[in-house]
Amino acid sequence: MVLPEHILELTKQTEGTNLEFKSCTDKVSPTVYESICAFLNREGGELLIGANNEGAILGINRNCMDAMIKNIINTLNNPQFFVPVAFLFPEVVEVESKIVLYINVPESPQVHRYKGQVFDRNGDADNDITQSFYLVDNLHLRKRKTSSESEVLPALTLDDFDRETFKKMRSHIAIFNPQHNWMEMDDETILRTSFWRKDPLNNQEGFILAALLLFGKENSILLHCPFHRTDAIYRNMTYARYLNPLPTDPDIRYDDRDLICENLIESYSRLMNFVNRNLPDKFRLDEQNINRIDVRNLIFREVTANLLIHREFSHSFASKFLIFSDRVITENWTKPMQFGNITLDNWESHTKNPLIAKVFREMKWVEELGSGKKNIKKYAPLYYDDYRIEIENNDKFVFSIIYRDVDESENGIESATSRHKVGDKSAQSQQQVESTENQSNNSNFGQSRRQVGTKSATSRRKVSDRSNWEEKVKTLQICVKAKTSDEILLAINLKDKSKFLKKYIKPLIEESLLAMTVPDKPNSRLQKYYTTENGIALI
């Protein structure tokens, strides 16, 4: 039973997503049912009948009270008006010698219609979204009890999975847990024990979507999940400048881009390489002041993993990883548990896709639930003292972190003119790009990747292929700054380029110790190689 004190507290608030006032005094307005329908379809709410929009108590006519209650109950239980019906009962509360009706509306697991129309709550408005198939479809998506990762795909066969991805997963797991049971299983056994299900609706069996997203070949993923992609874009300008460019700004769409349609394991590696290319590195000593830690990696591995794991894969929205000269913004579609603008302090952690999260956790790309926000909160101040994080959690989850002073970023924009147009792939333009990036990184974050430390015997044992190890280490040291294959050959005094690529470069890339600046075109004449964060940790 609701108390008068609670009603008075409500009247001090303003209408919003979870609160609505209705000024009905002698009969029930149709807008009452629209609000109830919207509350049921969104996240529930409280409805107070007998108060105006500002919350002032008007009271209802005592002689009409019984008829109004009967009208509400009958309408909500009549399938000609409400589909499916809603079992709610108004409570009569006396406040300041006046009578009001209070209805507590819970969130419903179903999508409700009032008189054939679908209403959804947006702020203090009840929106009729019936003709917006996009919004109605998303509403049904929110109501699904199971995540899209559990969808059974009976047509999938073992030929749809990439063997190299399994090798990569095992190599990462072996670094931290050589005795893991997946080390002894073959690929099919892993798939059948963890990713094989029966669809309860049609009794069909098969591999589930999570298996395809984690280990699938690109063509197979695009066939069964055609909207799966992550668009990584770097623009050498502040976010505010991007939104409001000056007439003198160069006409460029982006300075670096990687459109990723591969499985999630490969997507993670490519996104982290994208981060390493376009965000300044910054090293600090650990809490014992002994070992150096890569603050950039510790922050953005959490951001990257969150973007890949906690998304709704059945939606057509393309996930985005946007880097500007002052902030990073990620966007992905999700099934929100919280709504509106939130902070790291009140951000509630919910695993949207637990099977995908489990594999990332076994590979040590994520830790336990909730560790991401703790690590971001811990390391962000070490990356930039005045960091600021903004989180918008609705159907689209938007995460933003400011990592550099805006004025400092603006001072570097003039150098961006050296990037010219996106399509210009000449060697001269490429050199100008790298020169600009290197100057910016060195001037703002003087710590160099060379300052990481020396390798240990323990580090050596974490790499599966240790043949020609000294030469490989030298290659990693040389490639702290991106180098061409000819430059590396000259530095380590080798002449056979084909043998060098096969015995040195390829194994290092497979171990995720080395990466290509142009991963989509391995044979590009502009191709260079640079040491990844994993490689830096070994040298």
Side-chain angles (χ1 to χ4, degrees):
M1 179 179 178
V2 65
L3 299 175
E5 290 78 9
H6 181 67
I7 300 298
L8 290 174
E9 285 297 321
L10 292 179
T11 60
K12 297 176 183 178
Q13 303 176 29
T14 58
E15 293 182 314
T17 305
N18 308 108
L19 180 62
E20 178 72 18
F21 301 126
K22 296 297 182 183
S23 57
C24 311
T25 57
D26 52 11
K27 64 179 181 179
V28 181
S29 166
T31 61
V32 169
Y33 303 114
E34 293 175 2
S35 294
I36 292 176
C37 182
F39 281 150
L40 289 166
N41 285 336
R42 179 53 66 166
E43 55 184 55
E46 297 175 282
L47 184 64
L48 190 61
I49 303 174
N52 65 17
N53 291 339
E54 286 71 41
I57 300 293
L58 303 176
I60 61 175
N61 190 329
R62 292 178 183 269
N63 296 326
C64 301
M65 181 183 68
D66 290 339
M68 292 176 67
I69 293 175
K70 184 177 180 180
N71 184 297
I72 293 172
I73 294 174
N74 289 341
T75 301
L76 295 179
N77 286 273
N78 189 340
Q80 292 183 347
F81 294 102
F82 251 82
V83 179
V85 298
F87 300 101
L88 303 174
F89 189 83
E91 294 188 51
V92 179
V93 187
E94 186 169 349
V95 181
E96 298 176 348
S97 301
K98 297 177 181 178
I99 296 293
V100 295
L101 292 179
Y102 169 83
I103 305 176
N104 185 10
V105 184
E107 179 183 0
S108 173
Q110 299 172 292
V111 174
H112 291 261
R113 293 175 179 264
Y114 169 61
K115 289 186 176 180
Q117 296 173 298
V118 181
F119 291 90
D120 196 8
R121 191 76 174 172
N122 186 5
D124 61 354
D126 303 315
N127 295 331
D128 181 1
I129 63 172
T130 310
Q131 300 303 318
S132 177
F133 301 110
Y134 173 81
L135 294 176
V136 173
D137 180 63
N138 191 58
L139 179 56
H140 282 277
L141 192 64
R142 289 205 311 265
K143 300 294 184 180
R144 284 175 51 177
K145 294 182 179 180
T146 58
S147 57
S148 56
E149 70 165 2
S150 300
E151 179 184 355
V152 176
L153 303 175
L156 282 185
T157 68
L158 292 176
D159 292 334
D160 291 304
F161 298 99
D162 180 35
R163 302 297 182 186
E164 293 302 316
T165 302
F166 284 97
K167 293 179 181 178
K168 185 171 187 177
M169 177 195 70
R170 289 190 182 91
S171 70
H172 277 273
I173 292 176
I175 293 175
F176 304 97
N177 186 6
Q179 307 304 318
H180 195 285
N181 56 0
W182 284 355
M183 303 301 293
E184 301 298 326
M185 294 183 184
D186 59 24
D187 300 345
E188 183 177 359
T189 303
I190 292 175
L191 288 170
R192 291 192 178 277
T193 54
S194 301
F195 302 99
W196 182 272
R197 298 286 188 278
K198 176 186 285 189
D199 191 328
L201 297 178
N202 54 30
N203 288 326
Q204 287 187 311
E205 294 186 5
F207 297 116
I208 58 176
L209 181 60
L212 181 66
L213 292 169
L214 284 165
F215 307 108
K217 296 176 181 177
E218 183 174 343
N219 290 339
S220 298
I221 293 174
L222 294 179
L223 176 64
H224 294 276
C225 192
F227 303 121
H228 169 67
R229 60 193 181 280
T230 303
D231 201 358
I233 298 175
Y234 169 67
R235 296 182 176 95
N236 188 32
M237 60 176 63
T238 64
Y239 182 57
R241 188 78 162 259
Y242 167 70
L243 295 178
N244 301 285
L246 299 177
T248 56
D249 284 345
D251 183 20
I252 58 173
R253 292 177 295 165
Y254 53 81
D255 298 283
D256 190 9
R257 185 179 187 182
D258 192 2
L259 184 59
I260 306 170
C261 301
E262 292 185 285
N263 62 54
L264 296 178
I265 291 177
E266 295 299 332
S267 295
Y268 178 88
S269 297
R270 284 176 61 173
L271 280 174
M272 288 306 297
N273 287 337
F274 189 83
V275 165
N276 292 338
R277 291 205 304 271
N278 295 302
L279 282 174
D281 54 2
K282 199 168 188 179
F283 292 91
R284 289 285 187 264
L285 292 178
D286 61 13
E287 295 175 349
Q288 289 75 35
N289 290 324
I290 299 175
N291 299 314
R292 294 182 181 272
I293 57 175
D294 185 347
V295 182
R296 175 186 60 186
N297 178 64
L298 291 171
I299 295 172
F300 290 102
R301 74 169 192 168
E302 303 290 353
V303 175
T304 299
N306 183 76
L307 176 69
L308 295 175
I309 295 173
H310 303 296
R311 69 166 67 169
E312 180 49 59
F313 294 100
S314 62
H315 201 275
S316 61
F317 183 82
S319 295
K320 297 178 178 63
F321 196 108
L322 310 175
I323 300 179
F324 298 90
S325 61
D326 64 325
R327 74 171 67 198
V328 174
I329 300 174
T330 65
E331 301 177 356
N332 64 286
W333 208 262
T334 185
K335 293 168 62 176
M337 303 294 182
Q338 291 173 276
F339 289 87
N341 296 324
I342 58 179
T343 66
L344 284 179
D345 292 325
N346 64 12
W347 183 7
E348 298 176 2
S349 300
H350 301 275
T351 302
K352 309 297 191 305
N353 297 292
L355 293 173
I356 293 173
K358 180 180 187 298
V359 173
F360 272 58
R361 191 163 54 248
E362 297 296 334
M363 297 175 70
K364 301 301 181 183
W365 283 349
V366 297
E367 298 172 32
E368 74 276 2
L369 184 63
S371 64
K373 65 178 184 180
K374 294 178 184 177
N375 288 335
I376 292 173
K377 197 171 181 179
K378 177 180 179 180
Y379 295 111
L382 301 179
Y383 198 64
Y384 175 52
D385 291 338
D386 296 324
Y387 81 97
R388 188 165 73 252
I389 290 175
E390 299 170 0
I391 304 173
E392 180 184 340
N393 195 24
N394 291 299
D395 294 322
K396 182 171 70 172
F397 182 88
V398 181
F399 179 93
S400 170
I401 177 171
I402 293 178
Y403 68 89
R404 185 186 289 175
D405 181 75
V406 173
D407 294 332
E408 179 184 322
S409 302
E410 286 286 3
N411 292 335
I413 287 181
E414 293 302 322
S415 64
T417 55
S418 66
R419 294 179 182 263
H420 296 300
K421 295 182 179 179
V422 176
D424 184 0
K425 297 183 179 179
S426 66
Q428 179 181 1
S429 176
Q430 180 74 9
Q431 291 169 357
Q432 290 173 333
V433 171
E434 293 169 0
S435 175
T436 302
E437 291 175 339
N438 291 337
Q439 291 172 8
S440 174
N441 288 350
N442 291 335
S443 63
N444 293 302
F445 294 91
Q447 302 271 2
S448 169
R449 292 185 188 178
R450 294 191 186 94
Q451 298 172 323
V452 177
T454 59
K455 70 178 185 296
S456 65
T458 303
S459 298
R460 283 195 194 188
R461 287 195 294 268
K462 293 180 180 180
V463 180
S464 59
D465 182 4
R466 299 197 302 273
S467 58
N468 304 300
W469 178 244
E470 297 300 329
E471 292 81 359
K472 289 179 180 178
V473 169
K474 192 171 183 180
T475 299
L476 294 175
Q477 292 170 337
I478 293 167
C479 293
V480 167
K481 282 190 175 181
K483 295 288 189 293
T484 66
S485 55
D486 290 336
E487 290 173 329
I488 305 171
L489 277 170
L490 182 64
I492 61 177
N493 197 26
L494 292 177
K495 296 181 180 180
D496 191 332
K497 187 173 183 178
S498 176
K499 181 179 179 181
F500 164 72
L501 293 173
K502 182 178 180 181
K503 296 186 66 175
Y504 298 88
I505 297 298
K506 184 179 178 181
L508 288 173
I509 292 176
E510 289 176 348
E511 294 278 0
S512 297
L513 303 177
L514 200 68
M516 295 180 283
T517 57
V518 192
D520 292 335
K521 297 181 179 180
N523 298 321
S524 170
R525 63 185 179 84
L526 301 178
Q527 186 68 263
K528 292 187 176 183
Y529 304 92
Y530 66 93
T531 306
T532 67
E533 71 274 15
N534 292 332
I536 290 174
L538 291 176
I539 60 176

